[in-house]
Amino acid sequence: TQIRTDEGVMYRYGKGQLIWSSHAPILIMPGSHDEGSPVTTGTLGIFYLREKSGTFEVASRFPTAVDGSIMGNPPEWQVSEQFGDFPVIVSKSGGVWQGYSCGGTLVTELATSGPRDLVAFDSHYSNGGARADGEKDETVDGEITDIVRNKSFEVSFSGTSSFTHRYQRRGDNYVRLPGDDSSQIPTC
């Protein structure tokens, strides 16, 4: 399936996943951009459906709801029911720039009115392709852990250094709690 967005960008959508939320069936489809370059990203299209005469029709569409990775690739993603009253998509995207690999995680809630981003944070860094001879390899990866429904979660970082960031839900967002600010993930 191909869809041209309101901005005129054409995405090619592949096989998706149908989930059943409490308010609607929702189709999630990874979308690729045919013009793969460092400035183009893929996407996840999210389509809220309704049943009509024994079949589904699109009730509302969000063809570029979740940004993907560079070179026109969709993000890696999974659906979780652990965060709260609505399902969320936990997506990871990123790329490699001059030997530095960086990535981020986005948590998107599939609310009644449509998808909304709850939090985004840096979750991957590696200098493995850019370091000079004798320079130390530095790699850090973060994974969401210790989810407390409708309240909080942690991001546990491991690799060259290990540390934890804590997030708390405030309204329609998660915010990072103050802590040891020296425990930061490098960025590209």
Side-chain angles (χ1 to χ4, degrees), residues 42-75:
T43 190
L44 280 183
I46 300 175
F47 305 90
Y48 285 50
L49 308 175
R50 67 177 156 246
E51 191 173 355
K52 184 176 181 183
S53 304
T55 184
F56 290 115
E57 67 179 18
V58 176
S60 51
R61 55 182 248 154
F62 308 91
T64 57
V66 177
D67 284 338
S69 295
I70 66 169
M71 305 304 290
N73 294 311

Side-chain angles (χ1 to χ4, degrees), residues 17-188:
Q17 178 181 349
L18 181 65
I19 65 166
W20 296 88
S21 74
S22 59
H23 55 85
I26 301 171
L27 179 60
I28 305 165
M29 297 177 70
S32 300
H33 191 285
D34 287 340
E35 185 184 305
S37 75
V39 297
T40 60
T41 61
T43 190
L44 280 183
I46 300 175
F47 305 90
Y48 285 50
L49 308 175
R50 67 177 156 246
E51 191 173 355
K52 184 176 181 183
S53 304
T55 184
F56 290 115
E57 67 179 18
V58 176
S60 51
R61 55 182 248 154
F62 308 91
T64 57
V66 177
D67 284 338
S69 295
I70 66 169
M71 305 304 290
N73 294 311
E76 296 176 17
W77 60 282
Q78 63 183 19
V79 175
S80 174
E81 304 269 347
Q82 297 178 328
F83 284 83
D85 299 332
F86 300 112
V88 301
I89 297 171
V90 178
S91 60
K92 293 185 176 193
S93 59
V96 177
W97 295 270
Q98 297 180 351
Y100 294 94
S101 172
C102 290
T105 297
L106 174 65
V107 179
T108 305
E109 185 174 59
L110 301 175
T112 306
S113 60
R116 65 176 167 223
D117 296 342
L118 298 178
V119 67
F121 55 87
D122 295 326
S123 59
H124 170 75
Y125 172 83
S126 174
N127 68 350
R131 63 181 175 78
D133 287 340
E135 244 185 327
K136 182 176 117 178
D137 255 349
E138 190 172 5
T139 301
V140 181
D141 286 298
E143 293 295 328
I144 294 175
T145 59
D146 298 325
I147 300 168
V148 178
R149 190 176 186 84
N150 288 318
K151 292 188 181 187
S152 63
F153 67 87
E154 295 182 351
V155 180
S156 298
F157 290 91
S158 61
T160 310
S161 57
S162 298
F163 52 93
T164 300
H165 289 169
R166 290 166 183 77
Y167 290 82
Q168 186 173 57
R169 183 137 189 183
R170 294 199 181 138
D172 291 337
N173 298 80
Y174 281 92
V175 294
R176 185 172 155 212
L177 298 176
D180 181 7
D181 286 336
S182 66
S183 300
Q184 297 291 329
I185 183 170
T187 58
C188 292

